[in-house]
């Protein structure tokens, strides 16, 4: 197991290097002069020269990249053009909100998705199977911002169960978590259904039934355990999708997370802040995928021996 973990950690090095190069080049891929883009053509030539020097854009590209990596390794992501505050501090203030929302959405997606997929597989071609798959198709097809607005209309304005916006209490997390997790739950439901149906056709399931084991015990001990591996793959990918989707959902629900910071940075052309957010999001995605790979090895020991 230690060797497997070491191999996976070594494989992350080129991924992180590629991400750092892409994030670094972001400021150079802006059409025209990036400093004038950030100043929106309102700054004087002296202000442009000062900003160019502050960003290190007057130095050779290789030196700029080396300086960028060095600062990132020391948790220095530069200063925000809009507020003048360190980007790392701004991200540090917003990141816990986004992680809380993403974790809650992932919990909703896994619980709802696995439940729907399992019920559909156990009642294959029955009424519950068709109902679960129609619900999953609706969850994938409906835009998340529209679904969020419908939830606000029903549960905030008519029933008054949950606040429509803000992050002042635990109740304010429920509607955005359901909105963000609905689409991921639909994908997990469809995948877990097909994976479980395939496992339930295997010979060892028939053998277990022939031995007189109950359906629930067969499902728990033999079915779900073997059907989880492809589901784990999609869970890792869905986590990245939830991070991206949080940009819209945080704006709909007034949630003070990384998504709203990204939207503000994009509208204000605050490129250092955008760079920092992309870098942090990519690092989180890489870490989540590492955790998923380690879970593979725990669920199926054959993977770590290979």
């Amino acid at each position: 197991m230690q060797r497997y973990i070491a191999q996976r950690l070594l494989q992350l090095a080129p991924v992180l290097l590629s991400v750092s190069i892409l994030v670094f080049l972001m400021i150079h891929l802006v059409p025209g002069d990036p400093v004038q883009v950030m100043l929106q053509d309102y700054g004087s030539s002296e202000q442009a020269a000062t900003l160019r020097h502050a960003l290190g854009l007057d130095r050779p590209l290789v030196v700029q990249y080396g300086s960028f990596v060095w600062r990132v390794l020391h948790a220095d992501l530069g200063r925000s053009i809009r507020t003048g505050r360190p980007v790392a501090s701004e991200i540090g203030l917003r990141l816990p909100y986004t992680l809380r929302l993403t974790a809650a959405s992932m919990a909703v997606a896994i619980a709802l998705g696995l439940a729907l997929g399992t019920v559909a597989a156990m009642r294959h071609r029955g009424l519950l199977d068709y109902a679960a798959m129609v619900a999953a198709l609706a969850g994938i097809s409906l835009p998340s911002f529209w679904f969020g607005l419908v939830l606000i209309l029903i549960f905030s304005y008519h029933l008054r169960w949950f606040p429509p916006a803000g992050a002042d209490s635990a109740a304010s997390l429920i509607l955005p978590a359901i909105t963000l997790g609905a689409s991921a739950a639909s994908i997990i439901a469809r995948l877990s259904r097909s994976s479980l149906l395939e496992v339930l056709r295997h010979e060892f399931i028939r053998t277990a039934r022939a031995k007189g084991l109950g359906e629930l015990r067969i499902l728990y001990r033999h079915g779900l355990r073997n059907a989880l591996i492809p589901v784990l793959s999609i869970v890792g990918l869905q986590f990245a999708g939830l991070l991206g989707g949080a940009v819209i959902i945080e704006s709909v629900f007034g949630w003070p997370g990384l998504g709203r910071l990204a939207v503000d940075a994009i509208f204000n052309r605050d490129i250092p802040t955008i760079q920092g957010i992309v870098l942090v999001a990519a690092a989180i995605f890489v870490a989540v995928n590492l955790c998923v790979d380690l879970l593979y090895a725990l669920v199926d020991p054959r993977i770590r021996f290979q």
Side-chain angles (χ1 to χ4, degrees):
M1 187 66 179
Q2 288 86 354
R3 185 180 174 185
Y4 176 76
I5 295 174
Q7 287 177 340
R8 294 297 301 124
L9 288 174
L10 283 176
Q11 289 171 2
L12 294 183
V15 176
L16 292 173
L17 182 64
S18 302
V19 168
S20 71
I21 292 173
L22 288 174
V23 172
F24 166 73
L25 290 177
M26 181 188 295
I27 197 169
H28 297 278
L29 295 176
V30 176
D33 185 354
V35 172
Q36 290 300 330
V37 171
M38 283 185 269
L39 292 175
Q40 303 179 44
D41 297 329
Y42 295 122
S44 63
S45 56
E46 289 79 12
Q47 289 175 317
T50 303
L51 180 57
R52 185 173 285 106
H53 180 70
L55 294 174
L57 296 176
D58 53 353
R59 293 181 292 174
L61 199 62
V62 176
V63 176
Q64 290 182 43
Y65 178 68
S67 175
F68 172 73
V69 173
W70 178 258
R71 287 188 288 106
V72 168
L73 290 175
H74 290 78
D76 180 7
L77 300 177
R79 287 187 174 272
S80 166
I81 301 297
R82 184 171 60 93
T83 64
R85 297 182 56 195
V87 172
S89 299
E90 299 224 9
I91 291 177
L93 288 174
R94 303 294 190 96
L95 184 59
Y97 289 99
T98 296
L99 289 180
R100 194 187 312 162
L101 175 60
T102 307
S105 305
M106 201 74 249
V108 169
I110 292 173
L112 190 59
L114 281 180
L116 280 177
T118 303
V119 168
M122 295 300 291
R123 296 288 183 267
H124 183 45
R125 294 182 179 172
L127 185 60
L128 284 176
D129 183 17
Y130 292 124
M133 288 304 100
V134 167
L137 185 60
I140 296 172
S141 307
L142 294 174
S144 57
F145 66 88
W146 178 86
F147 185 51
L149 292 174
V150 170
L151 291 182
I152 290 174
L153 191 64
I154 296 173
F155 294 102
S156 297
Y157 288 105
H158 287 291
L159 299 177
R160 298 186 181 279
W161 288 357
F162 306 108
D168 301 325
S169 63
S172 59
L173 180 62
I174 294 175
L175 291 186
I178 293 173
T179 305
L180 194 56
S183 177
S186 304
I187 295 171
I188 292 173
R190 292 173 69 88
L191 184 65
S192 59
R193 172 185 177 271
S194 59
S195 179
L196 193 54
L197 281 175
E198 186 178 343
V199 170
L200 291 177
R201 293 192 186 102
H202 284 183
E203 291 293 333
F204 64 88
I205 296 292
R206 294 197 188 109
T207 305
R209 284 181 178 140
K211 287 181 177 177
L213 291 180
E215 284 298 319
L216 285 178
R217 193 171 178 186
I218 291 172
L219 178 69
Y220 176 73
R221 292 192 59 182
H222 302 288
L224 281 176
R225 186 181 178 90
N226 288 285
L228 273 180
I229 293 177
V231 177
L232 282 177
S233 303
I234 203 70
V235 165
L237 293 175
Q238 286 303 311
F239 190 90
L242 292 180
L243 275 177
V247 173
I248 298 173
I249 300 305
E250 288 181 2
S251 299
V252 171
F253 287 94
W255 189 262
L258 216 53
R260 284 193 70 190
L261 181 64
V263 171
D264 292 340
I266 290 169
F267 278 118
N268 290 285
R269 295 172 174 79
D270 191 348
I271 293 178
T273 302
I274 299 172
Q275 277 184 317
I277 293 171
V278 173
L279 195 62
V280 169
I284 293 173
F285 180 58
V286 169
V288 169
N289 273 278
L290 174 64
C291 293
V292 170
D293 286 346
L294 297 181
L295 280 175
Y296 285 159
L298 286 175
V299 173
D300 189 351
R302 292 173 298 176
I303 292 176
R304 61 174 180 262
F305 290 126
Q306 287 171 1

